[in-house]
mmCIF file of all heavy atoms in Angstrom:
data_model
loop_
_atom_site.group_PDB
_atom_site.id
_atom_site.type_symbol
_atom_site.label_atom_id
_atom_site.label_comp_id
_atom_site.label_asym_id
_atom_site.label_seq_id
_atom_site.Cartn_x
_atom_site.Cartn_y
_atom_site.Cartn_z
ATOM 1 N N ASN A 269 -84.922 14.250 25.682
ATOM 2 C CA ASN A 269 -83.556 14.793 25.701
ATOM 3 C C ASN A 269 -82.720 14.242 26.841
ATOM 4 O O ASN A 269 -81.537 13.930 26.657
ATOM 5 C CB ASN A 269 -83.602 16.323 25.786
ATOM 6 C CG ASN A 269 -83.521 16.967 24.424
ATOM 7 O OD1 ASN A 269 -82.549 16.808 23.699
ATOM 8 N ND2 ASN A 269 -84.579 17.690 24.063
ATOM 9 N N LEU A 271 -82.908 11.365 28.424
ATOM 10 C CA LEU A 271 -82.496 9.979 28.207
ATOM 11 C C LEU A 271 -81.386 9.896 27.165
ATOM 12 O O LEU A 271 -80.439 9.116 27.312
ATOM 13 C CB LEU A 271 -83.696 9.132 27.786
ATOM 14 C CG LEU A 271 -84.772 8.939 28.855
ATOM 15 C CD1 LEU A 271 -85.941 8.141 28.292
ATOM 16 C CD2 LEU A 271 -84.201 8.260 30.081
ATOM 17 N N ALA A 310 -94.623 -2.882 13.591
ATOM 18 C CA ALA A 310 -94.995 -2.170 12.363
ATOM 19 C C ALA A 310 -95.971 -1.033 12.651
ATOM 20 O O ALA A 310 -95.944 0.008 11.982
ATOM 21 C CB ALA A 310 -95.597 -3.143 11.361
ATOM 22 N N THR A 321 -76.822 11.289 16.494
ATOM 23 C CA THR A 321 -76.250 12.547 16.943
ATOM 24 C C THR A 321 -75.559 13.211 15.768
ATOM 25 O O THR A 321 -74.653 12.626 15.154
ATOM 26 C CB THR A 321 -75.246 12.317 18.081
ATOM 27 O OG1 THR A 321 -75.908 11.627 19.146
ATOM 28 C CG2 THR A 321 -74.698 13.635 18.592
ATOM 29 N N GLY A 324 -73.552 17.195 17.494
ATOM 30 C CA GLY A 324 -73.811 17.297 18.919
ATOM 31 C C GLY A 324 -75.267 17.387 19.304
ATOM 32 O O GLY A 324 -75.586 17.526 20.491
ATOM 33 N N VAL A 341 -85.762 -18.732 20.543
ATOM 34 C CA VAL A 341 -86.374 -19.624 21.522
ATOM 35 C C VAL A 341 -85.263 -20.327 22.293
ATOM 36 O O VAL A 341 -84.350 -20.908 21.706
ATOM 37 C CB VAL A 341 -87.283 -20.665 20.840
ATOM 38 C CG1 VAL A 341 -87.917 -21.591 21.881
ATOM 39 C CG2 VAL A 341 -88.362 -19.959 20.015
ATOM 40 N N ALA A 360 -81.880 -7.701 30.700
ATOM 41 C CA ALA A 360 -82.093 -6.414 31.366
ATOM 42 C C ALA A 360 -80.787 -5.648 31.503
ATOM 43 O O ALA A 360 -80.776 -4.412 31.503
ATOM 44 C CB ALA A 360 -82.722 -6.630 32.731
ATOM 45 N N LEU A 420 -106.466 -9.792 10.923
ATOM 46 C CA LEU A 420 -105.838 -9.070 12.016
ATOM 47 C C LEU A 420 -106.599 -7.789 12.301
ATOM 48 O O LEU A 420 -107.131 -7.148 11.384
ATOM 49 C CB LEU A 420 -104.381 -8.740 11.666
ATOM 50 C CG LEU A 420 -103.463 -9.934 11.391
ATOM 51 C CD1 LEU A 420 -102.033 -9.448 11.178
ATOM 52 C CD2 LEU A 420 -103.522 -10.960 12.503
ATOM 53 N N GLY A 428 -98.925 8.831 15.480
ATOM 54 C CA GLY A 428 -97.649 8.249 15.845
ATOM 55 C C GLY A 428 -96.904 9.121 16.839
ATOM 56 O O GLY A 428 -97.274 10.274 17.112
ATOM 57 N N LEU A 440 -93.677 23.960 23.737
ATOM 58 C CA LEU A 440 -92.641 24.505 24.610
ATOM 59 C C LEU A 440 -92.028 25.754 23.988
ATOM 60 O O LEU A 440 -90.830 25.826 23.707
ATOM 61 C CB LEU A 440 -91.577 23.441 24.887
ATOM 62 C CG LEU A 440 -92.015 22.322 25.833
ATOM 63 C CD1 LEU A 440 -91.003 21.201 25.855
ATOM 64 C CD2 LEU A 440 -92.240 22.870 27.241
ATOM 65 N N PHE A 482 -94.184 -5.315 49.340
ATOM 66 C CA PHE A 482 -95.096 -5.371 50.489
ATOM 67 C C PHE A 482 -96.522 -5.424 49.977
ATOM 68 O O PHE A 482 -96.788 -5.130 48.802
ATOM 69 C CB PHE A 482 -94.885 -4.168 51.420
ATOM 70 C CG PHE A 482 -95.138 -2.831 50.782
ATOM 71 C CD1 PHE A 482 -96.387 -2.224 50.805
ATOM 72 C CD2 PHE A 482 -94.095 -2.149 50.144
ATOM 73 C CE1 PHE A 482 -96.608 -0.988 50.218
ATOM 74 C CE2 PHE A 482 -94.299 -0.900 49.561
ATOM 75 C CZ PHE A 482 -95.552 -0.318 49.598
ATOM 76 N N LEU A 576 -99.554 19.597 38.866
ATOM 77 C CA LEU A 576 -99.928 18.972 37.599
ATOM 78 C C LEU A 576 -100.417 19.994 36.585
ATOM 79 O O LEU A 576 -100.312 19.777 35.376
ATOM 80 C CB LEU A 576 -100.995 17.904 37.839
ATOM 81 C CG LEU A 576 -100.544 16.738 38.725
ATOM 82 C CD1 LEU A 576 -101.689 15.767 38.959
ATOM 83 C CD2 LEU A 576 -99.355 16.022 38.128
ATOM 84 N N ASP A 620 -103.338 -18.779 28.768
ATOM 85 C CA ASP A 620 -103.474 -17.943 29.952
ATOM 86 C C ASP A 620 -102.184 -17.142 30.100
ATOM 87 O O ASP A 620 -101.082 -17.710 30.061
ATOM 88 C CB ASP A 620 -103.702 -18.803 31.199
ATOM 89 C CG ASP A 620 -105.107 -19.379 31.252
ATOM 90 O OD1 ASP A 620 -106.057 -18.648 30.906
ATOM 91 O OD2 ASP A 620 -105.257 -20.560 31.619
ATOM 92 N N LEU A 685 -102.410 14.087 64.057
ATOM 93 C CA LEU A 685 -101.189 13.481 63.533
ATOM 94 C C LEU A 685 -100.169 13.358 64.659
ATOM 95 O O LEU A 685 -100.060 14.264 65.495
ATOM 96 C CB LEU A 685 -100.597 14.342 62.413
ATOM 97 C CG LEU A 685 -101.345 14.402 61.093
ATOM 98 C CD1 LEU A 685 -100.657 15.399 60.163
ATOM 99 C CD2 LEU A 685 -101.416 13.038 60.428
ATOM 100 N N GLY A 706 -101.932 -12.816 49.154
ATOM 101 C CA GLY A 706 -101.514 -12.973 47.762
ATOM 102 C C GLY A 706 -100.033 -12.740 47.625
ATOM 103 O O GLY A 706 -99.418 -11.992 48.368
ATOM 104 N N GLU A 725 -103.731 13.986 36.062
ATOM 105 C CA GLU A 725 -103.732 13.624 37.465
ATOM 106 C C GLU A 725 -103.534 12.135 37.657
ATOM 107 O O GLU A 725 -104.262 11.332 37.101
ATOM 108 C CB GLU A 725 -105.067 14.047 38.086
ATOM 109 C CG GLU A 725 -105.124 13.857 39.567
ATOM 110 C CD GLU A 725 -106.405 14.458 40.113
ATOM 111 O OE1 GLU A 725 -106.845 15.498 39.609
ATOM 112 O OE2 GLU A 725 -106.946 13.878 41.049
#
Side-chain angles (χ1 to χ4, degrees):
N269 266 299
L271 293 177
T321 303
V341 180
L420 300 185
L440 287 170
F482 61 91
L576 297 177
D620 286 319
L685 290 175
E725 186 173 324

